[in-house]
């Protein structure tokens, strides 16, 4: 098995942060190294310092409050559950994260003007933070004016303290929340967000899950280690984390990022703007649907991209979680080799509308797509058994100096662009052990279209086996039962025949009947053993001649078992042998 060197340390940290970001934002930069009841060896030492605090009618004294905040609330869930106060004001909280590795530099996080009001049983009616400023050698992040309603510091402490055993019960952390703006400046990059809002964040206790992620971030697993036993706590923690948070929908407005690219002599401004990013409600075990609207990008100053709307559909992690829970401990190399396909989420798809690309290379190139959709469903062992992909009005300009003969003929015919649409859709059904090819189609506006559909039989569930050898053997057992072709000529025939005739120095209109007769004679001669050869020849001849605009051809296997791959391979040496095993229908209209 290949080493795990390709999984850098930041992956672990990013996953942990992503899973917990909505819950730990207001908790003064929690870090597991501050935990006192169950210490863990992490990759950084974190200190939290308060300049001062003012508590009004607080049931906890100043020393108790300082201790809880200095420990990032971890381990203080019991006293926070009993805490009442009219208000708590902290002018500044300074968090310093000092990595233990010599190469890494410290990061400081400053929380300014932290105010909690009307605290009852560890839950504040409101919590506001004037600003959060983060800085290290790579750059700085500034977050402005944060507000949280009904924020429970007691529940935050309970759900993030490693010594608290993992539970299935979810606890409310806070209700509505909003951020007035944020910015990032790092090297040659700057980003900004106008505002962020959301609601109803809940979390369940995850035990040692976060601590394990942080600990593994500094382990040998990222340095090419073959010790797969290290994966056991990582994957177990992962299963806890992806099922630990749920929340209502949230929205990000007015996002942009700008980066300076190129060398000293030729610097370019690359910029991306997004009007809104909407994140659907988060459910345990799923990544939410995310929709971005009105995206605009500029690259190297003169290349442009815009998308009206793009949506990433939800991903289901339940199969990953089930595989992890069923895995042996410690994880073995054999298990990884057999089950690695199960460790990918069931991605439901992607869609977008209004794509426009306008690039300048040797000459201008423009591409537009009206809409695109990818839908994947009914996953079996990491593979979707139902898929549908389509796009409409894919428009590409034809360069004026196009060297391709067919495209040149399209230019001569007065076409300056290609406008195409396509769809590929199919589904496997267990009851029939068959794959239905619902549609494979391509349409060129004002030119013509081609559409295929059919049925593959002998498609056993072994096609989806995690054992690749078994799956490959099952794929070779597939057999073709039916295949239908429908093609429409709305002008493409004239262009193709003009290109062919041009090579011969002949007139396309004069040659078209000649081509039609030639095709008919060839079909009848070569397919003489086929019962419907004459009908097929007549239909194709009419289509080539242009007297019919639509050609339909149907092929069906005489045997209910279909025509196997081996039979098609044998037909390479004896093409006529296949004719006795099929029925063909054809008509032209």
């Amino acid at each position: 098995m290949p080493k795990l060197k390709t999984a850098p340390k930041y992956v672990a940290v990013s996953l942990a942060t992503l899973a917990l970001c909505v819950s730990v934002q207001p908790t003064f930069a929690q870090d597991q190294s501050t935990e006192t009841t169950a210490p863990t060896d992490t990759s950084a030492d974190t200190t939290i310092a308060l300049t001062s605090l003012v508590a009004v009618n607080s049931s906890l004294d100043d020393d108790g409050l300082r201790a809880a905040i200095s420990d990032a609330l971890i381990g203080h869930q019991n006293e926070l559950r009993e805490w009442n106060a009219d208000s708590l004001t902290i002018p500044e909280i300074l968090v310093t994260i000092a990595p233990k590795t010599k190469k890494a530099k410290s990061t400081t996080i400053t929380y300014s003007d932290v105010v909690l009001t009307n605290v009852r049983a560890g839950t504040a009616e409101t919590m506001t933070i004037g600003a959060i400023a983060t800085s290290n050698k790579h750059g700085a992040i500034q977050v402005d004016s944060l507000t949280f309603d009904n924020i429970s510091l007691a529940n935050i402490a309970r759900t993030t303290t490693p010594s608290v055993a993992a539970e299935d019960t979810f606890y409310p952390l806070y209700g509505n929340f909003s951020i007035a703006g944020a910015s990032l400046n790092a090297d040659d990059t700057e980003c900004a967000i106008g505002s962020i809002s959301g609601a109803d964040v809940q979390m369940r206790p995850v035990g040692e899950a976060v601590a394990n992620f942080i600990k593994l971030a500094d382990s040998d697993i990222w340095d090419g280690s073959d010790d797969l036993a290290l994966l056991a706590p990582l994957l177990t923690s992962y299963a806890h984390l992806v099922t630990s948070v749920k929340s209502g929908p949230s929205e990000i407005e007015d996002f942009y990022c700008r980066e300076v690219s190129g060398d000293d002599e030729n610097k370019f401004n690359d910029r991306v703007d997004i009007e809104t990013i909407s994140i659907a409600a988060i459910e345990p075990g799923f990544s939410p649907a995310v929709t971005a609207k009105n995206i605009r990008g500029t690259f190297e100053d003169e290349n442009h991209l815009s998308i009206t709307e793009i949506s990433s559909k939800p991903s289901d992690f339940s199969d990953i979680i089930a595989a992890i829970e069923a895995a042996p401990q410690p994880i073995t190399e054999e298990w990884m080799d057999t089950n690695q396909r199960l460790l990918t989420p069931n991605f439901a798809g992607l869609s977008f509308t209004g794509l426009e690309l306008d690039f300048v290379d040797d000459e201008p190139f423009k591409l537009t797509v009206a809409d695109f959709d990818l839908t994947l469903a009914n996953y079996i062992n990491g593979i979707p058994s139902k898929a549908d992909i389509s796009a409409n009005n894919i428009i590409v300009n034809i360069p004026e100096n196009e060297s391709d003969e067919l495209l040149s003929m399209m230019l001569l015919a007065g076409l300056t662009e290609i406008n195409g649409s396509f769809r590929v859709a199919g589904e496997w059904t267990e009851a029939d052990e068959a794959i239905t090819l619902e549609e494979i189609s391509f349409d060129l506006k004002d030119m013509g279209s081609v559409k295929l559909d059919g049925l593959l039989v002998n498609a056993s569930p072994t096609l989806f086996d995690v054992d690749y050898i078994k799956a490959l053997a099952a794929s070779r057992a597939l057999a073709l039962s039916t295949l239908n072709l429908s093609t429409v000529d709305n002008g493409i025939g004239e262009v193709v025949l003009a290109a062919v005739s041009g090579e011969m120095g002949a007139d396309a209109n004069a040659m078209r009947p000649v081509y039609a007769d030639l095709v008919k004679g060839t079909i009848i001669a070569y397919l003489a053993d086929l019962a419907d050869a004459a009908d097929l020849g007549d239909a194709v001849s009419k289509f080539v001649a242009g007297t019919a605009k639509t050609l339909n051809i149907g092929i069906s296997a005489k045997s209910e078992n279909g025509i196997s791959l081996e039979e098609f391979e044998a037909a390479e040496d004896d093409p006529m042998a296949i004719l006795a095993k099929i029925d063909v229908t054809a008509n032209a209209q």
Side-chain angles (χ1 to χ4, degrees):
M1 197 188 87
K3 291 186 177 182
L4 299 167
K5 198 170 184 177
T6 56
K9 294 181 181 180
Y10 66 79
V11 173
V13 177
S14 298
L15 285 171
T17 302
L18 183 63
L20 296 171
C21 64
V22 294
S23 63
V24 302
Q25 177 63 62
T27 64
F28 316 123
Q30 292 190 40
D31 184 277
Q32 305 303 327
S33 62
T34 64
E35 200 272 326
T36 56
T37 59
T40 57
D41 181 19
T42 68
S43 59
D45 289 323
T46 300
T47 59
I48 301 175
L50 287 71
T51 54
S52 62
L53 61 81
V54 177
V56 178
N57 294 328
S58 173
S59 60
L60 278 176
D61 61 20
D62 288 3
D63 289 340
L65 290 170
R66 283 181 178 275
I69 295 170
S70 297
D71 291 337
L73 309 185
I74 293 173
H76 294 270
Q77 61 272 17
N78 293 329
E79 57 262 44
L80 287 173
R81 197 180 300 126
E82 305 297 327
W83 177 40
N84 297 310
D86 289 346
S87 66
L88 172 64
T89 301
I90 307 173
E92 183 178 276
I93 301 172
L94 179 63
V95 181
T96 303
I97 303 172
K100 294 180 179 179
T101 56
K102 294 181 179 180
K103 294 181 180 179
K105 300 298 182 181
S106 296
T107 296
T108 60
I109 306 172
T110 303
Y111 294 75
S112 302
D113 301 323
V114 180
V115 179
L116 290 85
T117 60
N118 194 23
V119 182
R120 295 294 178 267
T123 298
E125 183 176 338
T126 61
M127 173 179 177
T128 59
I129 304 175
I132 302 175
T134 304
S135 63
N136 60 23
K137 69 173 185 177
H138 300 292
I141 299 174
Q142 175 83 14
V143 182
D144 296 318
S145 300
L146 299 88
T147 301
F148 302 86
D149 294 339
N150 298 316
I151 179 168
S152 175
L153 272 65
N155 286 343
I156 291 173
R158 180 189 186 113
T159 55
T160 57
T161 296
S163 60
V164 175
E167 298 180 28
D168 293 330
T169 302
F170 281 81
Y171 297 90
L173 302 189
Y174 44 88
N176 296 330
F177 69 90
S178 64
I179 298 173
S183 62
L184 176 149
N185 289 278
D187 299 326
D188 293 328
T189 301
E190 69 173 32
C191 299
I193 292 173
S195 64
I196 303 174
S197 61
D200 301 326
V201 178
Q202 301 177 50
M203 187 174 175
R204 67 178 183 85
V206 294
E208 296 283 348
V210 178
N212 284 338
F213 252 90
I214 296 172
K215 183 176 181 180
L216 283 163
D218 199 41
S219 72
D220 292 338
I221 195 171
W222 312 117
D223 298 323
S225 172
D226 278 327
D227 186 0
L228 290 172
L230 291 169
L231 277 176
L234 173 66
L235 293 178
T236 302
S237 299
Y238 173 78
H240 278 299
L241 290 173
V242 298
T243 61
S244 66
V245 176
K246 61 182 179 180
S247 75
S250 57
E251 187 164 287
I252 300 170
E253 294 185 350
D254 299 325
F255 168 88
Y256 91 85
C257 266
R258 182 180 68 85
E259 181 179 17
V260 177
S261 64
D263 53 32
D264 292 336
E265 296 182 1
N266 299 292
K267 284 190 175 294
F268 302 104
N269 288 313
D270 300 335
R271 176 170 174 144
V272 174
D273 292 78
I274 304 175
E275 185 176 288
T276 61
I277 301 173
S278 300
I279 304 170
I282 298 174
E283 292 295 334
F286 291 84
S287 67
V290 179
T291 299
K293 294 182 179 180
N294 297 327
I295 302 168
R296 299 175 304 280
T298 301
F299 309 97
E300 297 185 356
D301 293 330
E302 57 185 3
N303 301 316
H304 302 281
L305 160 72
S306 66
I307 301 174
T308 302
E309 181 175 305
I310 183 169
S311 296
S312 174
K313 301 176 185 181
S315 291
D316 183 354
F317 291 81
S318 58
D319 286 347
I320 301 178
I321 296 167
I324 293 170
E325 291 178 344
Q329 301 295 327
I331 289 174
T332 64
E333 183 170 348
E334 180 182 4
W335 188 91
M336 281 296 298
D337 286 341
T338 302
N339 296 280
Q340 55 186 296
R341 204 172 71 203
L342 301 181
L343 301 179
T344 56
N346 297 344
F347 176 53
L350 175 77
S351 65
F352 63 77
T353 61
L355 170 68
E356 293 188 10
L357 287 172
D358 195 349
F359 279 16
V360 177
D361 197 359
D362 294 333
E363 57 183 88
F365 169 79
K366 187 172 184 178
L367 166 70
T368 64
V369 180
D371 59 79
F372 169 89
D373 182 82
L374 170 65
T375 299
L376 305 172
N378 301 343
Y379 276 78
I380 302 172
N381 293 337
I383 298 176
S385 64
K386 184 177 182 180
D388 194 331
I389 179 172
S390 63
N392 292 302
N393 299 114
I394 307 168
I395 302 175
V396 182
N397 64 295
I398 304 175
E400 294 182 0
N401 61 348
E402 179 57 55
S403 58
D404 181 84
E405 190 161 3
L406 179 58
L407 293 177
S408 297
M409 294 305 299
M410 293 176 71
L411 284 171
L412 290 174
L415 297 171
T416 58
E417 63 184 25
I418 298 173
N419 186 340
S421 302
F422 75 88
R423 183 181 182 223
V424 178
E427 180 178 9
W428 176 78
T429 53
E430 183 176 10
D432 300 325
E433 291 199 355
I435 297 174
T436 300
L437 302 176
E438 180 183 343
E439 181 178 336
I440 302 175
S441 65
F442 187 76
D443 182 283
L444 282 177
K445 185 179 180 181
D446 301 325
M447 297 295 287
S449 64
V450 176
K451 179 181 178 182
L452 286 169
D453 65 74
L455 182 68
L456 297 175
V457 295
N458 200 27
S460 72
T462 311
L463 280 170
F464 304 95
D465 200 288
V466 294
D467 187 321
Y468 290 99
I469 302 300
K470 292 180 180 179
L472 179 61
S475 69
R476 289 190 59 81
L478 290 171
L480 177 66
S481 178
T482 62
L483 183 65
N484 301 303
L485 165 70
S486 179
T487 181
V488 177
D489 179 6
N490 289 327
I492 188 66
E494 293 182 7
V495 175
V496 172
L497 290 172
V500 174
S501 299
E503 293 180 355
M504 302 168 58
D507 179 76
N509 291 328
M511 292 299 295
R512 193 158 191 169
V514 176
Y515 293 140
D517 289 340
L518 179 62
V519 168
K520 179 178 179 179
T522 302
I523 289 174
I524 293 175
Y526 277 90
L527 304 181
D529 293 337
L530 186 66
D532 299 306
D535 291 341
L536 178 61
D538 284 339
V540 176
S541 177
K542 291 177 182 179
F543 186 72
V544 174
T547 57
K549 294 299 182 182
T550 302
L551 173 64
N552 299 306
I553 299 174
I555 301 173
S556 60
K558 292 182 177 180
S559 170
E560 65 179 11
N561 295 322
I563 304 170
S564 67
L565 180 60
E566 287 79 4
E567 289 174 303
F568 278 110
E569 290 173 341
E572 293 180 4
D573 298 324
D574 183 11
M576 299 300 107
I578 205 77
L579 299 180
K581 300 176 181 181
I582 61 173
D583 291 319
V584 178
T585 60
N587 66 76
Q589 303 169 358

